[in-house]
Every structure is written in C-alpha cells, then in structure tokens.
C-alpha cells in the first residue's frame, strides 16, 4: 500500500511538473509573439529623441531645501536607471517612481508586463505607446541594456545610474528565487543544499545558451548587455568595464546602499526627502543561505567576470565618497537613517516588514517566487494622519502594483502569475 501511495504521489508530482512545463511553453509563445521584429528594431534606429526636455520639465522641480546655499545645481528629472537583478534595485525603483510621479515626469514604461521583454535586448519599440522620436524623462524597468536604444529615448543630459551587489550574494539570491525556472538545476540531487551542490561542479549543471541559464553565471554582466559566459580575464570583460565606466554617471553598491543614495542625491541635486525608502524584495531569513567561505570562494570564481565588475565599481564608489567627504557622508547617512526610522514609525504597523501570509492588503503584497512565499512586505499602520497617508502608501507599494497605478496593463505578468499560483 505504501508503495502504491508513493507511486501515486510521484505521478501527481510528475503531472504537476508537466503542467508547469506546458504553461511555461505557452507563456514563451505569448511573450515571443509580442517581441518586436528585426525590421521594427532596424526601423527604430532611424528616429531618436530630438527634443532636449531638460529645461522645460526641470523648471517645475523644486529646489532642494537641504542643500548648501553655495551649490549652483538644479534638480534633475532625466534618468536612465539600469535595473539589475537581485541588487536592491526594487527599492531604488520605488524611489524613482515616487519622485517621477510627484513631479509629473514622463516614464518610458513596458507594455503588458513589468519588464522590457527581458532577457531579449532592449529596443525602444518595447516601450508602451512609443512613437518614433518621442522623448521621456525616466527609463527604469528591468531590461537587457542596449545603450543606443536607451539613449534614443532620453534627452542628452540624462543621468545614467545602475546598482551592483557582491556576486556571491547575487548568485545565492538568484538561485533561490529563479532556480525553479532554470531546467538545468532540476537534476541536482535533493539530499543536500542544491546551491552548494551546484557550486561543487557548476559546469555539470550549466550550458551557456540553455533556457534561463543566464541566472546561473555572471548575471550582472548579462543584465548590462555583455556576454555572461566570458572568463574574468577575457578582453571582452575589460572592454565592458571600460564602456560602462564611460556611460554611467554613478554605479551604486548594494552593500553600501545608504552611502550610494547620498551620492545619488548629490548627482541629481535632490533632497533627503526624495531618497527616503522602505526595503523591497527582502527575503525571510529562513529562505536565505549563508554560503560557507569555501562556497563563497567558488561562487566568485564561477562569477569571475561579475567579481571584476563589482570590484571596479566598488572602488569608484569609494573614490566618490572621498571626494564628497567622509565626515560629511557620515553625517548625511545618519540623517537619512534617522528620517527612514521616523517614516517606519509613522507608516508601518509594527515598524517592520512581515511575511507574505501576514500582509492584509493585497495592494502591498509583493510578487513571490515560483513555489514559495519568501518575500516580505508591509502592513499600513492604522490611524495615519490624512496628510501622510498617500505618502506612506506610495512608499510601501511594490513594483507590480505601482506599475498598474502608472497605467501599465501587465496582462502577461498577471497571466504568468495565474499559471504559477494555480498550476505550478
């Protein structure tokens, strides 16, 4: 009887897996059918943003109240944020959404889903309602970076910003979050920790062009538009770092998020109020694996190109901190943390994030990974003063819901969510 029950459970599991695979195939076909054709992409290169929108739009931006009187800058609202995966980028995205919405900036938004048809290379034709030659203030959703296509949407004075995170932590987070969607990992034995097993012999479970394999190797370099299968000492990695250094005005580092935000405030001439935040896409502690020193070393070897990228821009960040002034940075970070703590007390029930099943209002429920509920979210505190309520709600609205509020239909994202939750 036990054998028959076991066979029955195995059959159910296999059936569920088949349904998940079929749903994935359906989603792939739907997504593929909405991608721009090669002719569209070739044609799109003929028309670019011809109008410098900086002056007329930025005249409406208020002068920051907390800057020194001797500063001559004006607040900037023209921003290209290259949103990388598993780097605290969703927290920064919420900051940009709030700033842009407050000052009525024009977003280049995706159409039908929450990203620009990632992992296909970005094309301006993927922007909702795009017309040749149209200009935007802010581009900030997930994409695979194409600098020429992004530049075609923006005024020439746009600030280019991205964020990186320690590659071993990126791999751990991506493996946990996306692992179920990477077929190459399905054959890893279930007797121990799958990531540890993967890192003992990554080539056993990796093929460069396999479905979703980019999540397993040099994901940061892939997001930024380069070949993620390059070895660390390949000339292509050197050239990629050189090109990105010329393109981006600021590369934030997730491990020094507050210091990075102060530099962002300085770069864009914003105020401290503009960069207040609650953390998004934080995982429950039970879902986070602390890699052993040996596994972390293996992860950095496997992601050697990302490790070079990270070390280079970590160094440039601290060069900027030195130029800003370490004591000044220390004071400004303390002020940012004080103001964030103040907002947590004013806005959040209990003052902290909670696990997904405890979130009462679905407006504030973050997107969850396949087969889990590991992403934390927030409950709005009762009795918030009316003049603060909208600001609090905006600060704790996750990406998917915020995009819907901005007018994105998200039908493909929601369809995949239905397959994920009901079938898989």
């Amino acid at each position: 009887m036990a054998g028959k029950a076991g066979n029955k459970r195995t059959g159910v599991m296999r059936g569920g897996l088949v349904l998940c695979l079929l749903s994935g195939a359906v989603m792939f076909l739907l997504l593929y059918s909405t991608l721009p054709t090669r002719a569209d992409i070739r044609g799109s290169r003929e028309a670019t943003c011809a109008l410098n929108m900086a002056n007329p739009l930025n005249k409406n931006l208020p002068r920051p109240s907390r800057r020194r009187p001797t500063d001559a800058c004006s607040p900037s609202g023209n921003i290209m944020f290259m949103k990388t995966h598993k780097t605290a980028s969703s927290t920064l995205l919420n900051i940009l959404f709030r700033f842009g919405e407050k000052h009525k900036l024009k977003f280049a938004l995706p159409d039908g889903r929450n990203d620009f048809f990632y992992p296909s290379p970005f094309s301006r034709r993927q922007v909702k309602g795009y017309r040749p030659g149209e200009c935007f203030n802010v581009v900030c959703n997930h994409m695979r970076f194409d600098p020429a296509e992004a530049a075609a949407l923006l005024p020439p004075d746009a600030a280019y910003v991205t964020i990186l995170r320690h590659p071993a932590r990126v791999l751990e987070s991506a493996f946990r979050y996306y692992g179920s969607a990477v077929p190459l990992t399905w054959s890893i034995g279930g007797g121990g920790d799958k990531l540890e097993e993967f890192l003992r012999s990554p080539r056993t479970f990796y093929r460069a062009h396999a479905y979703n394999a980019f999540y397993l190797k040099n994901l940061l370099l892939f997001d930024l538009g380069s070949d993620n299968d390059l070895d660390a000492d390949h000339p292509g990695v050197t050239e990629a770092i050189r090109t990105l250094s010329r393109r981006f005005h600021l590369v934030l580092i997730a491990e020094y998020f507050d210091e990075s935000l102060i530099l962002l405030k300085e770069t864009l001439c914003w105020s401290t109020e503009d960069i207040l935040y609650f953390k998004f896409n934080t995982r429950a502690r039970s879902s986070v694996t602390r890699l052993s020193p040996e596994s972390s070393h293996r992860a950095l070897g496997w992601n050697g190109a990302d490790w070079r990228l990270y070390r280079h821009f970590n160094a440039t960040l601290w060069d900027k901190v030195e130029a800003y002034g370490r004591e000044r940075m220390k004071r400004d970070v303390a002020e940012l943390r004080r103001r964030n703590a103040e907002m947590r007390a004013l806005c959040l029930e209990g003052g902290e994030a909670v696990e997904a099943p405890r979130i009462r209002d679905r407006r504030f429920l973050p997107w969850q990974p396949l087969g889990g509920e590991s992403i934390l979210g927030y409950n709005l505190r009762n009795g918030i003063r009316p003049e603060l309520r909208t600001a609090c709600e905006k600060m704790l609205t996750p990406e998917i819901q915020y995009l819907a509020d901005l007018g994105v239909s998200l039908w493909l994202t929601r369809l995949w969510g239905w397959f994920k939750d009901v079938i898989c």
Side-chain angles (χ1 to χ4, degrees):
M1 291 294 291
K4 289 182 179 179
N7 290 336
K8 185 176 181 180
R9 282 195 299 271
T10 301
V12 170
M13 290 173 64
R14 287 175 177 169
L17 179 59
V18 170
L19 285 173
C20 279
L21 289 171
L22 287 173
S23 69
V26 170
M27 288 302 300
F28 176 80
L29 291 173
L30 285 169
L31 299 182
Y32 184 80
S33 68
T34 58
L35 289 174
T37 65
R38 290 184 179 181
D40 288 335
I41 293 171
R42 283 196 301 270
S44 72
R45 294 194 176 114
E46 297 172 2
T48 62
C49 172
L51 173 66
N52 186 340
M53 299 173 67
N55 292 331
L57 278 169
N58 287 348
K59 281 180 181 176
N60 297 323
L61 293 175
R63 186 164 181 77
S65 59
R66 295 177 180 266
R67 295 189 68 83
R68 297 171 299 179
T70 55
D71 288 347
C73 68
S74 298
S76 175
N78 296 323
I79 305 157
M80 164 64 214
F81 172 49
M82 178 51 229
K83 188 177 189 292
T84 49
H85 284 85
K86 316 314 295 177
T87 59
S89 62
S90 293
T91 301
L92 189 51
L93 186 69
N94 181 267
I95 291 173
L96 293 173
F97 280 163
R98 287 185 282 120
F99 184 89
E101 192 176 24
K102 177 180 178 180
H103 299 298
K104 298 179 172 56
L105 300 182
K106 186 175 181 180
F107 287 94
L109 295 169
D111 192 9
R113 50 189 278 183
N114 61 301
D115 59 38
F116 290 111
F117 298 94
Y118 184 87
S120 67
F122 177 67
S123 164
R124 75 197 76 161
R125 294 280 178 169
Q126 297 161 359
V127 173
K128 179 186 176 184
Y130 172 75
R131 296 186 301 275
E134 190 169 7
C135 285
F136 298 85
N137 296 111
V138 185
V139 183
C140 58
N141 289 91
H142 273 310
M143 65 167 67
R144 184 149 189 238
F145 189 49
D146 184 311
E149 287 295 301
L153 297 170
L154 293 159
D157 70 341
Y160 282 69
V161 177
T162 190
I163 183 167
L164 304 178
R165 185 186 181 194
H166 191 286
R169 298 188 182 104
V170 170
L171 177 64
E172 188 276 332
S173 185
F175 195 92
R176 300 300 178 203
Y177 195 92
Y178 299 109
S180 298
V182 184
L184 288 171
T185 68
W186 296 352
S187 62
I188 300 176
D193 185 277
K194 285 195 169 189
L195 179 55
E196 296 276 358
E197 182 68 24
F198 173 81
L199 287 171
R200 277 191 278 272
S201 181
R203 286 286 175 193
T204 304
F205 309 105
Y206 174 81
R207 301 292 180 273
H209 302 293
Y211 182 70
N212 281 350
F214 53 85
Y215 287 123
L216 302 177
K217 184 175 175 65
N218 293 319
L219 178 58
L220 297 174
L221 201 67
F222 183 85
D223 282 355
L224 290 164
S226 295
D227 182 355
N228 67 306
D229 202 38
L230 298 178
D231 292 330
D233 58 356
H234 192 282
V237 177
T238 303
E239 181 56 31
I241 292 173
R242 184 183 298 118
T243 300
L244 293 168
S245 297
R246 289 195 300 262
R247 170 61 64 177
F248 285 90
H249 298 87
L250 177 65
V251 177
L252 293 80
I253 298 295
E255 284 75 17
Y256 308 103
F257 192 68
D258 289 345
E259 292 85 353
S260 295
L261 281 184
I262 297 300
L263 292 176
L264 179 70
K265 175 173 76 77
E266 179 78 357
T267 300
L268 301 177
C269 197
W270 286 6
S271 69
T272 300
E273 183 179 354
D274 295 324
I275 58 170
L276 300 180
Y277 69 91
F278 300 144
K279 292 181 180 180
F280 280 92
N281 280 3
T282 302
R283 288 181 294 158
R285 288 184 180 180
S286 60
S287 71
V288 178
T289 300
R290 290 194 175 276
L291 293 176
S292 66
E294 183 180 6
S295 291
S296 184
H297 180 74
R298 287 172 176 165
L300 294 180
W302 175 242
N303 292 273
D306 271 2
W307 184 221
R308 273 193 67 191
L309 183 77
Y310 176 86
R311 284 182 296 164
H312 174 85
F313 285 109
N314 185 48
T316 67
L317 179 89
W318 288 102
D319 287 343
K320 290 178 186 294
V321 170
E322 289 292 340
Y324 187 85
R326 283 189 177 262
E327 285 304 312
R328 181 183 170 207
M329 176 62 74
K330 189 175 180 180
R331 290 194 303 270
D332 288 354
V333 165
E335 172 66 5
L336 173 61
R337 290 173 178 170
R338 184 190 71 78
R339 298 282 303 280
N340 277 334
E342 191 176 78
M343 292 305 293
R344 285 196 298 273
L346 289 169
C347 297
L348 304 181
E349 184 181 278
E352 60 185 8
V354 298
E355 294 182 350
R358 293 174 56 197
I359 299 171
R360 295 190 302 269
D361 191 332
R362 292 190 64 84
R363 291 182 301 158
F364 308 131
L365 179 66
W367 185 268
Q368 300 295 322
L370 185 66
E373 290 185 312
S374 59
I375 305 301
L376 304 179
Y378 301 99
N379 283 317
L380 192 67
R381 191 173 69 84
N382 292 323
I384 297 174
R385 298 198 308 269
E387 66 271 19
L388 275 176
R389 187 175 186 85
T390 297
C392 289
E393 289 178 344
K394 297 290 185 184
M395 284 189 72
L396 53 85
T397 299
E399 175 184 347
I400 301 297
Q401 291 90 323
Y402 215 131
L403 281 169
D405 291 345
L406 292 174
V408 180
S409 70
L410 297 170
W411 69 273
L412 280 167
T413 297
R414 296 192 189 284
L415 180 60
W416 169 240
W418 181 84
F419 274 115
K420 175 175 70 74
D421 294 338
V422 176
I423 299 178
C424 303

